[in-house]
Amino acid sequence: MTDKIALTPKTHTAPPAKFSHGVRKGNILQVAGQVGFLPAVEGRPPTPAGPTLREQTRQTLANVKAILEEGGATWDDVLMIRVYLTDVDHFAEMNALYNEYFEQHLTAVPAARTTVYVGLPAGLLIEIDALAVLGD
């Protein structure tokens, strides 16, 4: 039996409750929902990358990527990406940002699902999680 390994990259703050930013068990890596917080700075609270969907989306994708890398994965290992938005009107802009980002970072496209979600803390516009399977 393979142990679960909790993942918290140096760019992330320790989670505020009993969960991990990501967990790897064997060749499966689950990235917990990430938001657009800038890299952690000791003694400072988490800070959003900016007020715009573009800024937060780019930072959120960077945060997901950091956890993938911490667990030994890349975007090409990702099978599923889930995107949660706080506003249905952001759907078209998010799709454009998503396509722009993944044109540069993927050789094969993962399955994807977008859901409008209204439960993020004030000021946060997007959350992304991912499921990766390493190896062939």
Side-chain angles (χ1 to χ4, degrees):
M1 177 170 265
T2 306
D3 289 335
K4 289 192 289 186
I5 301 166
L7 304 169
T8 299
K10 291 181 172 128
T11 54
H12 288 56
T13 58
K18 290 295 223 178
F19 66 88
S20 300
H21 289 291
V23 173
R24 180 171 174 180
K25 182 174 173 88
N27 68 337
I28 298 174
L29 192 160
Q30 177 65 55
V31 176
Q34 298 296 301
V35 294
F37 286 142
L38 292 168
V41 176
E42 183 86 26
R44 285 195 187 159
T47 305
T52 70
L53 183 66
R54 174 175 285 279
E55 292 165 311
Q56 289 190 27
T57 299
R58 286 184 172 169
Q59 186 63 53
T60 300
L61 289 165
N63 292 344
V64 171
K65 184 179 179 201
I67 295 163
L68 290 170
E69 290 173 350
E70 185 80 7
T74 70
W75 283 116
D76 284 323
D77 297 309
V78 173
L79 297 180
M80 172 65 80
I81 296 172
R82 286 180 288 257
V83 178
Y84 305 91
L85 298 171
T86 59
D87 188 335
V88 70
D89 292 336
H90 289 159
F91 187 82
E93 182 182 1
M94 187 283 303
N95 274 345
L97 293 165
Y98 182 94
N99 289 340
E100 176 186 302
Y101 181 87
F102 284 112
E103 281 177 6
Q104 302 168 16
H105 292 90
L106 279 178
T107 57
V109 181
R113 176 179 151 205
T114 300
T115 303
V116 176
Y117 179 73
V118 295
L120 295 178
L124 293 175
L125 305 174
I126 186 168
E127 179 177 317
I128 299 174
D129 68 42
L131 174 66
V133 176
L134 290 76
D136 290 335

